[in-house]
Amino acid sequence: MTKERELFDVTIIGGGPAGLYAAFYSGLREMKTKLIECQPFLGGKLNVYPEKVIWDVGGLPPTTGEKLIGNLVRQAMTFNPEIVLNEKVTGIDKDEDGLFVLRTASGRLHHSRTVILAIGGGILKPTKLNLEGAERFEASNLHYTVKSIGRFRDRTVLVAGGGNSAIDWANELSEFARKVYLTYRRDTLKGHEASVTMLERNGVVCLPNTEIIRLIPSERDEDLIGRVALKDLEDGAVAELEIDDLVVCHGYERETDIIGNSGVRIEMKDEYCVKGTPSGETSVPGLFAAGDILWHEGKLHLIAGCFQDAANAVNRAKQYITPDAPGWGMVSSHNELFRERNRALKKRLFAELAGAPK
Ligand SMILES: Cc1cc2nc3c(=O)[nH]c(=O)nc-3n(C[C@H](O)[C@H](O)[C@H](O)COP(=O)(O)OP(=O)(O)OC[C@H]3O[C@@H](n4cnc5c(N)ncnc54)[C@H](O)[C@@H]3O)c2cc1C
């Protein structure tokens, strides 16, 4: 049997918070687990905001997206699941034995007894500026994500967009940048009230009813934006703004073709979410969903919500394979699976304490 034809108990599609926690929990339920992610890295949407501080995950002091990815990945690897990166799943089918066959862009097939769909909002691509020649600045000072806040220290930054993401970045960058401008096409911003109020306190200059119409290269380097031409949408006037960086937050295009291209019929709530039960069941027996892609009554579209979804989906997958298995796993504090690991942890802690200065 080739590696490709190996049968897994659970195959998780998507390596964001929901998929990673599902990989951990599936190991805890002693199932043979594979996780497939189309990007060359794990962490899902957390990679969009690696330096932003996350406050609302229970039991975690404020942490960054990057640190949370590290912790999630470490936890996901506890039971050594098979991780396949750079693999885009293009469709989900069932064979004549009722087993799942996942088609991929590389042509490889993956075989599984159950599947957990954890694809978040699908494959995300930032909505780019619709201006001729804009792509040539992407290697220099036109940004669609903020990878490192330090880069913006003492610089003049124009943020484009009227939603939460643009507002948050304008606030966050204002701590480091010399000056931050915010351009948006509407009269008002569409963001959390507290964040909008903070813009003024942080000295962000808001430019409502304006639109970028041209990127003007710098005189010293033609691959660098030097100025941006902004049009006032109320009276048509055009003004040029000198900047060091342009951060565009015009949202994301989401690719969820996998759903429509599947042989199994996955019922949707709308174009963005799979309709499921609070336990993660979908319209397809054996196919479960978790995280942002799942909608059910009482759904929490937060990282914290991903964890409950993932554990539920894994528990249902376990019972799909072994109907008389308990509905949930033994809590980790009393779970025999951790006995040896707890011993090792305790040993390490004692060794550290013994070596610590008195
Ligand atoms: C800017 C921003 C800030 C946020 N801040 C917070 C916050 O402070 N607190 C909070 O709780 N939540 C926050 N969120 C929301 C949080 O990030 C999401 O709820 C969470 O990431 C959802 O996790 P997920 O695993 O369901 O999906 P995702 O994180 O979207 O991961 C899905 C993964 O599936 C992969 N995938 C998709 N399609 C395929 C395919 N066909 N084949 C293979 N792989 C595929 C994707 O590449 C991706 O890696 C924020 C979101 C954004 C955008």
Side-chain angles (χ1 to χ4, degrees), residues 47-342:
N47 289 290
V48 173
Y49 50 103
E51 292 202 358
K52 278 192 73 172
V53 179
I54 301 166
W55 289 78
D56 50 357
V57 178
L60 253 193
T63 190
T64 61
E66 190 177 19
K67 284 200 181 126
L68 187 53
I69 294 174
N71 287 338
L72 283 164
V73 172
R74 256 193 304 284
Q75 185 179 41
M77 297 311 290
T78 307
F79 300 102
N80 302 314
E82 177 154 331
I83 305 283
V84 183
L85 297 176
N86 277 318
E87 182 89 302
K88 175 172 152 185
V89 180
T90 52
I92 306 170
D93 302 325
K94 266 191 183 181
D95 66 15
E96 60 281 5
D97 298 321
L99 297 171
F100 286 97
V101 182
L102 306 184
R103 279 176 276 123
T104 67
S106 69
R108 194 178 157 188
L109 300 176
H110 298 266
H111 303 263
S112 196
R113 290 192 167 88
T114 64
V115 170
I116 296 179
L117 196 62
I119 60 170
I123 301 165
L124 297 184
K125 289 191 201 115
T127 306
K128 302 235 171 152
L129 270 186
N130 192 14
L131 292 177
E132 212 185 309
E135 44 317 321
R136 85 171 208 256
F137 300 113
E138 284 180 29
S140 55
N141 59 349
L142 168 58
H143 314 272
Y144 290 102
T145 53
V146 174
K147 288 279 179 208
S148 164
I149 293 176
R151 186 205 196 285
F152 299 90
R153 191 174 293 283
D154 298 328
R155 292 169 73 87
T156 299
V157 186
L158 174 64
V159 179
N164 273 316
S165 192
I167 297 164
D168 285 357
W169 281 125
N171 276 323
E172 213 134 328
L173 295 177
S174 67
E175 271 187 55
F176 301 88
R178 187 183 324 127
K179 189 94 207 153
V180 177
Y181 296 91
L182 180 62
T183 166
Y184 45 101
R185 295 186 194 116
R186 292 168 191 260
D187 222 4
T188 50
L189 288 161
K190 271 170 64 182
H192 301 306
E193 281 170 21
S195 312
V196 174
T197 310
M198 237 154 45
L199 289 170
E200 194 179 346
R201 208 177 316 142
N202 288 334
V204 173
V205 179
C206 290
L207 305 166
N209 297 308
T210 57
E211 183 178 39
I212 300 174
I213 56 164
R214 208 165 50 252
L215 305 179
I216 304 155
S218 142
E219 271 132 39
R220 62 193 157 85
D221 180 349
E222 62 172 25
D223 288 327
L224 208 62
I225 306 168
R227 281 169 297 139
V228 164
L230 285 172
K231 183 174 173 184
D232 186 326
L233 297 172
E234 285 182 312
D235 60 12
V238 174
E240 289 182 7
L241 186 66
E242 215 165 294
I243 58 154
D244 296 314
D245 288 289
L246 171 59
V247 178
V248 176
C249 307
H250 284 172
Y252 287 88
E253 283 151 31
R254 305 161 54 154
E255 186 195 312
T256 49
D257 302 358
I258 177 180
I259 308 239
N261 291 338
S262 289
V264 295
R265 209 187 73 72
I266 305 167
E267 200 181 328
M268 302 294 286
K269 185 231 171 203
D270 53 34
E271 73 177 293
Y272 298 120
C273 289
V274 166
K275 191 171 172 182
T277 67
S279 323
E281 285 127 329
T282 69
S283 55
V284 182
L287 174 72
F288 305 93
D292 278 4
I293 188 64
L294 173 66
W295 183 88
H296 58 75
E297 208 52 58
K299 168 76 191 178
L300 187 61
H301 275 285
L302 283 177
I303 295 163
C306 290
F307 301 152
Q308 171 153 2
D309 284 350
N312 278 332
V314 167
N315 285 332
R316 294 293 78 75
K318 178 79 183 178
Q319 287 191 314
Y320 179 83
I321 298 171
T322 315
D324 56 356
W328 55 87
M330 173 59 78
V331 287
S332 62
S333 56
H334 290 64
N335 195 316
E336 284 298 307
L337 278 178
F338 294 105
R339 184 191 285 270
E340 279 313 307
R341 291 166 200 264
N342 287 341

